[in-house]
Amino acid sequence: GVANLEKFVSGGGLLVTFGPELELAPAPGLAAGVSTRAPQGLNARGTVIRAEVSDLNSPVAYGYSPDLSIYYTTGLLLSAGRGGFGRGGFGGRGGAAGRTSGIGSLTIPDVMQTRKSDEELLKESLGGKTEKDFQNSGRGRGGAPVGPPPRIIVRFVPQANDLLLSGLLTGGREIAGQPVVVDAQHGQGHILLFAANPFWRNETSGEFSLELNAAMNYKNLDAGSKPAAPAGGRGRRGGE
């Protein structure tokens, strides 16, 4: 599963994820610097939302103007950078305040008796290692570098009152300014993450070229990115 995806991407492949598959993003060694969480109080069903192309230099955005309309239905939210939302375990539900089963206290995890725990399943998929092992090493699976910070290609407009173009939207503050499309480099390849389904019938035709651009330029998706800062921010010593 995760091991084969990591091998594919680090070898130069392009992985496109959206919907529930976004939970792969925080998996150790994949999309470093990207995290997900479930929205709170957000209700959008087939809603057209205002967004903006925040990185016009990315090959993913070739041919686009700064303004973009997104056909959106409530789903996992993305965060990109060297921080982020973090994950509440394998399922990314760290923001939940209560318990789904009502059994035990808040500190006792819910575990189906016929199923291994999320932590055990994740550890098995990583070859017996843990998330902390990869975080401490600063490298992905198989020794691949985690890569530069992810690029936010498209994000929702920052003002909640400006989001709605058409349809139902309540709790818009949850998505205001949040990433819609993120490009995370891993090894020689890239992971392109969509917070909105880009393939919903013909309703999302305005986003089709984002995937086409990524596929056509998958070997050069780092074009137009800002140079990485020197490690430690130090110059050369002794006039070297």
Side-chain angles (χ1 to χ4, degrees), residues 80-92:
R82 288 308 188 195
F85 299 125
R87 274 195 316 159
F90 190 73

Side-chain angles (χ1 to χ4, degrees), residues 160-221:
N161 290 338
D162 296 332
L163 287 167
L164 182 62
L165 280 174
S166 177
L168 169 69
L169 176 65
T170 58
R173 291 183 179 180
E174 277 287 280
I175 60 173
Q178 295 300 313
V180 181
V181 182
V182 175
D183 174 21
Q185 183 177 344
H186 174 69
Q188 299 299 314
H190 290 255
I191 303 173
L192 195 63
L193 306 105
F194 286 82
N197 185 348
F199 299 114
W200 181 250
R201 300 175 182 173
N202 197 48
E203 301 292 343
T204 59
S205 58
E207 300 164 58
F208 289 171
S209 289
L210 294 172
E211 299 84 45
L212 178 61
N213 284 342
M216 294 292 290
N217 297 280
Y218 77 98
K219 292 185 177 180
N220 300 289
L221 288 179

Side-chain angles (χ1 to χ4, degrees), residues 15 22 24 92 103 106 127 136 167 200 213 216 218-219 228-229 234:
L15 174 65
L22 287 178
L24 286 171
I103 301 174
L106 290 174
N136 291 340
W200 181 250
N213 284 342
M216 294 292 290
Y218 77 98
K219 292 185 177 180
R234 296 180 180 180

